[in-house]
Amino acid sequence: MKLSAHYSKATLIITFSVLFIAGIIYYCTITYIVNNQLDRDLKEEVEEITEFVNLNQRLPGKLDFEDDQLTLTKTNEKLNEMAFYDAPYYKKKHKPGHNKTESGRAVKALVSLKGDNYLLTVTESKDASEHLTQLIIGITLLLTALLLLILAITNRYIFRGLWKPFYSILQQLKAFNIADSGSFNLSKTNIDEFGELNEAVITMSARVKSDYQNLKTFTENASHEMLTPIAVITSKLDTLIQDEKLKAEQFTQITDIYAATNKLSRLNQSLLLLVKIDNDLIQDNATFNLKDIILEKIHQFQELNQNKQIEITELLGDKEITASRYLIEILINNLFNNAIKHNITRGKIFIDLTPNELVFQNTGESGPLNSSEIFERFKKGKNSDGTGLGLTIAKNICSQYGFNLTYSFESSLHTFKISFK
Amino acid sequence: MKLLIVEDEQGLRESIERYFTEEGIICESCSDLSTAISKTTLYQYDCILLDIGLPDGEGFALLEHLKEGGKNEGVLIISARNSLDNKVQGLNLGADDYLTKPFHLAELKARIAAIFRRKAFNTTNVLTYDQISINLLAREVEVNTTGIILTRKEYDMLLYFIANKGKVISKNAIAEHLWGDEIDLIDSFDFIYTHIKNIRKKLMEAAHKDYIKSVYGVGYKFL
């Protein structure tokens, strides 16, 4: 639910309840005033009757005072004061048999005549005042409805205008990419809160970007600084193995050091490559046929395949792409490495290239892999001796050119699919 | 062959010097740009190993200096910067080759040998070692005047071995030379074994001599 809708809801509820309570108070007040007025009338009438009785020393005839109805009954009741109460009023119509009951107001009072007490009741119709009450309530309701409508409409339009800067910020925040160099283009606003928000967003994005930049620079520098020591280790090992006095077991250890150094060096190169891809530093774009690169790589990996007796089935169509040949070679390389490394002896690799997609499928020992984790840095199989960066690099190269690299497990085959848009 | 090593990292400089120093090769070394410039002004070298990141400036300055002086020393750049721009810049300035750190000394030596051969190409295009003679243009190998057929990888390997004759070459170095650093498979060691077995056999049949000696599982030595 949008903020404006929330706000409208709140205003509507509040307005409605306030008006409802006001309506009740209105009603009570009007009723009170009307009753008061009627009571005063009735009191006057009672006084008139009492005066009549005292003056004439007889009860009035069966005559109505205007439209009021009178009853006089002999009673023994003691009544100190006049009592007012609501009572039904029987309205006589001109046509007989069409009498109607209306709400009315009545008064009870004692009239003494020649030592006898008579109970006098006077009932007056409330009809006229009831009309007034209804009219007032009707007007109130109409006003309420009108007010609610106006509130709803103004909220809607005012909100749309007021929140414009906010939606502009939101739009740009959604599109925010930490690796992009472009900054926020926020329109000026005369609303303090949004002005502050704009400032905060700009400051925050600048800080985040600079932190990210620092981190990348750090990774790059760290990798660079490590290259020379690794070069020293390698050269020292190359020198060390020239020594003919070394024993077989020392050579075994040297072999291990070689392997570790080699891995260290590959890790380092992979990290540097990732930083370069992230920083968009490799931009030697050229247009070439992807098929040629794949054929070249099949040839290059031939011996490795023969060793594991892996059978490659390829179905390659022509696909021209514009990209860095260097990166695309690394991409195909990594997919090949992956398909061979995790394959079984006498396994199979299927490569399909169509104008829309490139699919690498391979047999393997393990079952389906976690497709959400597989492209993450340093996630690798238990038996893998790789750097754990190969597929991450492949993924990053793909996203660099807007390709989508996905993993799935289809009919017992590990499937890596690159969709070209 | 006279060689100048310009490298500021002492450990690396010493290793290179030690590995290259043998009969017929004179090594000189320095650790900064100014010394390198004055040395190249005074003396003539066949080949220069040049590091780009030097304490008193970039190695490119030496390339410019050589170009201005009209010198034709072979230059091999060794750099920790594996960027394409650097490579292109270096090669445009007249460097003959570019090697990225870290590298194997055997690879360095093979590259230097290749540069040296190219420089001396006007005199000969045949490389002879013991009973083996290789026609570098036609890529043909003869042993005792009998031609032997080698695959492309075997041929590459033989050249690599001859450039590093008498040295123990680690399997890692051979694997990197043959497949580059793109292939990160330990499996590749098995192929080295297969290739070596084949070369050995072919050379044995023609020369009746075992040129390749295995060294405790760490590598091989060409004698």
Side-chain angles (χ1 to χ4, degrees), chain A residues 227 238 242 244 303-304 333, chain B residues 80 105 168 182 191 195 221:
Chain A
L227 286 170
D238 286 347
Q242 308 305 326
E244 285 167 8
E303 289 158 317
L304 300 175
N333 229 354
Chain B
L105 293 177
V168 179
E182 289 176 353
F191 302 111
H195 284 306
K221 194 170 178 175

Side-chain angles (χ1 to χ4, degrees), chain B residues 31-214:
Chain B
S31 60
D32 54 39
L33 193 63
S34 50
T35 324
I37 289 177
S38 61
K39 268 183 183 283
T40 49
T41 318
L42 287 172
Y43 312 105
Q44 178 73 38
Y45 296 94
D46 293 302
C47 216
I48 299 168
L49 275 178
L50 180 62
D51 188 5
I52 293 296
L54 292 168
D56 57 344
E58 297 224 317
F60 295 123
L62 181 65
L63 284 170
E64 277 159 8
H65 172 76
L66 290 174
K67 214 172 178 182
E68 280 164 21
K71 299 206 165 204
N72 67 336
E73 278 97 340
V75 179
L76 188 138
I77 294 175
I78 42 173
S79 171
R81 282 179 244 169
N82 182 19
S83 90
L84 225 57
D85 288 347
N86 261 308
K87 213 172 216 165
V88 171
Q89 192 185 352
L91 297 178
N92 280 345
L93 282 170
D96 296 80
D97 207 349
Y98 190 103
L99 194 59
T100 313
K101 286 180 189 175
F103 49 81
H104 285 283
L105 293 177
E107 181 66 34
L108 186 65
K109 193 139 190 253
R111 301 270 187 119
I112 292 284
I115 293 172
F116 186 64
R117 278 201 307 268
R118 276 206 293 278
K119 292 281 161 192
F121 227 35
N122 7 11
T123 51
T124 175
N125 55 14
V126 176
L127 174 71
T128 333
Y129 175 77
D130 201 41
Q131 305 172 51
I132 306 165
S133 88
I134 303 171
N135 185 327
L136 296 164
L137 274 181
R139 297 174 76 93
E140 279 167 0
V141 183
E142 281 184 0
V143 179
N144 279 334
T145 65
T146 321
I148 57 166
I149 309 289
L150 295 179
T151 65
R152 213 179 103 197
K153 285 232 156 62
E154 285 164 1
Y155 176 83
D156 282 349
M157 225 162 165
L158 183 64
L159 277 185
Y160 192 59
F161 271 129
I162 291 174
N164 289 286
K165 54 189 181 286
K167 302 278 184 197
V168 179
I169 311 170
S170 70
K171 285 181 187 171
N172 291 69
I174 300 171
E176 262 188 49
H177 178 74
L178 293 184
W179 287 286
D181 52 6
E182 289 176 353
I183 294 179
D184 58 349
L185 296 174
I186 294 301
D187 295 351
S188 55
F189 286 175
D190 296 337
F191 302 111
I192 295 168
Y193 176 74
T194 320
H195 284 306
I196 294 212
K197 207 172 73 181
N198 291 340
I199 299 182
R200 223 172 180 174
K201 213 171 93 189
K202 285 172 185 173
L203 292 177
M204 278 272 262
E205 279 167 5
H208 307 290
K209 178 183 169 187
D210 191 3
Y211 281 99
I212 301 166
K213 189 187 153 202
S214 166

Side-chain angles (χ1 to χ4, degrees), chain A residues 107-118:
Chain A
V107 66
K108 272 198 284 194
L110 281 181
V111 182
S112 348
L113 179 69
K114 298 165 191 162
D116 286 333
N117 275 345
Y118 293 91

Side-chain angles (χ1 to χ4, degrees), chain B residues 4-46:
Chain B
L4 177 66
I5 303 160
V6 188
E7 164 66 61
D8 62 323
E9 183 70 35
Q10 194 200 352
L12 194 57
R13 193 175 63 238
E14 283 172 3
S15 293
I16 297 172
E17 215 174 332
R18 197 166 155 194
Y19 193 86
F20 276 72
T21 305
E22 58 176 33
E23 224 183 271
I25 299 182
I26 301 156
C27 281
E28 281 188 26
S29 66
C30 61
S31 60
D32 54 39
L33 193 63
S34 50
T35 324
I37 289 177
S38 61
K39 268 183 183 283
T40 49
T41 318
L42 287 172
Y43 312 105
Q44 178 73 38
Y45 296 94
D46 293 302

